[in-house]
Amino acid sequence: MAAGKLVVHPIRNHIDNQARQLVNWVVEVATPHHAERDWNRPGRVEDFIDRFADWHFDWLDVPELFRASGTILEYPMVDQDPLPWWGRGRVTLLGDAAHPMVPRGSNGAGQAILDAGCLAEAIVQHGDVAEAFIAYESVRRPATAAVVQANRTNPPDAVLREVYERTGPNSPSNASRT
């Protein structure tokens, strides 16, 4: 786990006359906490490439992927303490505006979808928008607060930590990257 994590999403094949592929990739590595939360901060390949220097697969050369990237952005993995309320009267919050959480396992997107469903149901049941918003918040605020708190202690990717702890850095599954 100390090396970090890499997720690679192929987007489109044959984007040029060299038959290259458009790829989105995400690297997760622990870094010092930044006081400024900037989701457009330019990243530097030099800050993390060494951790993946020996990640060469028959289908992907990871260091080469990083070096060939045009733009690298650094995104902080942050959340906020649950809010005491989401709305007043005919105004309410939904999704990350209501409950920003660490984006693990698509939690934020999943919770926003659940928010929307609950809100739609509350509007149908209550008719009055202000009453519907109160009903929606009474269901979703405790549920999302529980997800934020759970992510802090045992996030969805905790299974990766568990496998690593049980198998160690020299197990065949962890040592087969070269």
Side-chain angles (χ1 to χ4, degrees), residues 46-62:
E46 299 83 19
D47 291 341
F48 59 88
I49 195 168
D50 288 348
R51 297 174 189 237
F52 301 91
D54 64 344
W55 287 35
H56 303 280
F57 303 95
D58 57 353
W59 51 274
L60 179 64
D61 182 326
V62 173

Side-chain angles (χ1 to χ4, degrees), residues 4-22:
K5 294 188 312 189
L6 170 66
V7 178
V8 178
H9 302 276
I11 297 174
R12 191 173 65 198
N13 290 326
H14 306 291
I15 62 168
D16 59 17
N17 61 1
Q18 296 176 0
R20 290 188 290 187
Q21 186 178 48
L22 181 62

Side-chain angles (χ1 to χ4, degrees), residues 131-171:
E131 288 179 24
F133 287 176
I134 291 169
Y136 149 73
E137 183 177 324
S138 71
V139 171
R140 293 300 300 152
R141 197 170 57 80
T144 58
V147 173
V148 168
Q149 296 298 336
N151 281 343
R152 291 177 178 178
T153 58
N154 201 24
D157 64 348
V159 69
L160 298 174
R161 181 185 65 235
E162 186 68 24
V163 168
Y164 183 83
E165 288 174 357
R166 289 183 182 200
T167 62
N170 296 320
S171 75

Side-chain angles (χ1 to χ4, degrees), residues 78-83 85-87 92-102 106-119 136-137 140-141 143-145 147-148:
V78 296
D79 66 7
Q80 291 292 126
D81 289 336
L83 296 171
W85 53 272
W86 290 355
T92 194
L93 300 174
L94 180 144
D96 282 346
H99 46 74
M101 57 184 67
V102 175
S106 299
N107 270 333
Q111 294 304 315
I113 291 166
L114 294 172
D115 288 353
C118 182
L119 182 56
Y136 149 73
E137 183 177 324
R140 293 300 300 152
R141 197 170 57 80
T144 58
V147 173
V148 168

